[in-house]
Amino acid sequence: MLLNPLDRRHRLRYDIPVVPGAFPLVGHLPAIVCDLPRLLRRAERTLGSHFWLDFGPGGQLMTCLDPDALAVLRHKDVSSSLIAEIAPEILSGTLVTLNGSAHRQARDGIKAAFLPRGLTEAGIGDLFEPVIRARVQAWRARGEVTILPETGDLMLKLTFYLMGIPPQDLPVWHRKYRQLLQLIVAPPVDLPGTPLRRGRAARDWIDAQSRQFIRDARARSARTGLINDMVSAFDRSEDALSDDVLVANVRLLLLAGHETTASTMAWMVIELARQPEVWDALVEEAQRVGAVPTRHADLAQYPVAEALFRETLRLHPASSLVPRRATQELQLGQRRIPAGTSLGIPLLHFSTSALLHEAPDQFRLARWLQRTGPIGPVDMLQFGSGPHVCIGYHLVWLELVQFSIALALTMHKAGVRPRLLSDAEKGRRYFPTAQPSMKVRIGFS
Ligand code: HEM
């Protein structure tokens, strides 16, 4: 594992062990990025359920593998402002970093647009369907694709459509968005031509465009899309918030839904390629219904596609770990945690934990198809929990079912199925977003 062999000291911080093997400056990041599951298992075996991991510039986060840690996400004495400290350039001021009433106010302003009714009224499923279909048809024609860059590109297009960005502006948005992403890893060197300088310029450009969109939406110009709905809901909300909050959240929406969904979509295709019986079940369902769904009300007809979406996310959760800070002393499993402690809640660990799931490492559609109870917080922990639970949950569910059914109908009609052409385990990443390698190839034959 990518740990520093020179750091073997056994150290304690607030009486909790620090995982050995940190490198100067980058801490445990190399192992966190490349091998998080094994790192967590090894730490649990050698140090117990509570330990510190070093995220380099992101600081040290106390990680707890006791399922109690999930409840922390709903606890009133934790704050997500730590996220703004870790990624100040792109996330400060956004919903995910706010707390308490400021968070509620900002979230209330936009949440309706993301609920099934809001999505249906805005016609999001009808907007997405032709874009998804065109993309899978292009894959069919090519016969072979590198899956993650493809799903990344498709998701970016869907996200831009969702926001109502005019098609002719997509290339420049694409470029600015890529530059914005550089802010996540940019070294702190502010000189002309550096990633930091370019990233900030791209962020300011995107923010200025969003501000103009918001003005247009107020002026009731012909533009459609989620920004319009958000602006109207926002203006109707009880305490009018400043446009800065809305602008920051448009940026958050661009970021939050892109890599997470692209990664899940890519894993879905990989799982379909390595499990012929799952592909057959999906094709059978797609044939029986005979169409790609466009509204939430349609989704009940697609239990296999829904199970595929849930099981893919369970085995490959895109958000592996979410940061929080304790604002008061907390009880966490068997330990008291002092106020001010930075915490990393390892969603990845719980998503495949034997304490929460039977045969956790097996891909089983049956665990969803045969269940009788409603979906609860543990079943969707990949989307977080509590006040910050993912706002895009219903949207992702719709688009991933649309995607899998479009894929099944298109490929089946052409008499082909997905096949894995390279090692899907090699080069996978676990942080900041968990994803398969950029190089995994899928053939359709
Ligand atoms: C498979 C896809 C996705 C996964 C696994 C995912 C996961 C998550 C997780 C774990 C959180 C909680 C973060 C925290 O508590 O700190 C979150 C929050 C959020 N997600 Fe997603 N997400 C996905 C897709 C999307 C999409 C498509 C959108 C919107 C277009 C979106 C928008 C958001 C927003 C705005 C928040 C912050 C909510 C708040 O702080 O109140 N996500 N997501």
Side-chain angles (χ1 to χ4, degrees), residues 83 96 103 107 256-257 260 264 319 324 382-384 388 390-391 396:
I83 298 176
V96 73
H103 172 255
R107 185 164 168 128
T260 44
T264 313
S319 296
R324 288 293 186 272
Q382 302 76 20
F383 292 97
H388 290 279
C390 180
I391 223 170
V396 178

Side-chain angles (χ1 to χ4, degrees), residues 101-234:
S101 59
H103 172 255
R104 235 181 346 266
Q105 235 177 306
R107 185 164 168 128
D108 283 354
I110 60 174
K111 71 177 182 204
F114 287 91
L115 292 171
R117 188 169 157 195
L119 294 169
T120 304
E121 280 172 5
I124 300 302
D126 297 302
L127 189 71
F128 282 4
E129 197 251 5
V131 183
I132 294 175
R133 254 182 193 278
R135 182 60 60 120
V136 295
Q137 268 156 10
W139 292 356
R140 163 66 205 111
R142 276 155 57 192
E144 196 181 310
V145 294
T146 317
I147 194 67
L148 187 59
E150 282 292 323
T151 56
D153 203 68
L154 170 59
M155 273 316 301
L156 203 52
K157 195 162 186 189
L158 292 179
T159 308
F160 289 159
Y161 266 63
L162 178 77
M163 306 309 259
I165 294 165
Q168 69 272 19
D169 294 350
L170 289 185
V172 53
W173 273 84
H174 216 116
R175 201 170 60 247
K176 297 290 180 187
Y177 183 83
R178 297 269 167 230
Q179 290 169 353
L180 174 73
L181 287 184
Q182 293 185 3
L183 280 181
I184 300 174
V185 289
V189 184
D190 185 13
L191 289 173
T194 56
L196 183 65
R197 184 68 70 88
R198 267 204 307 270
R200 282 181 175 160
R203 178 196 58 202
D204 295 344
W205 183 90
I206 288 176
D207 286 359
Q209 296 285 316
S210 305
R211 220 173 272 281
Q212 187 58 44
F213 273 36
I214 293 164
R215 265 188 232 124
D216 290 357
R218 289 225 171 84
R220 298 190 198 291
S221 67
R223 226 190 268 288
T224 55
L226 221 68
I227 293 189
N228 261 337
D229 299 332
M230 277 167 46
V231 170
S232 353
F234 198 73

Side-chain angles (χ1 to χ4, degrees), residues 44 77 147 164 170 174 187 201 205 221 245 274 321-322 372 440:
E44 184 176 32
D77 295 332
I147 194 67
L170 289 185
H174 216 116
W205 183 90
S221 67
V245 178
R274 51 185 179 195
L321 193 136
V322 293
T372 44
V440 177

Side-chain angles (χ1 to χ4, degrees), residues 6-24:
L6 302 179
D7 175 31
R8 293 162 187 258
R9 286 170 304 152
H10 283 278
R11 279 170 298 146
L12 296 176
R13 245 187 115 196
Y14 303 124
D15 231 19
I16 291 170
V18 179
V19 173
F23 289 99

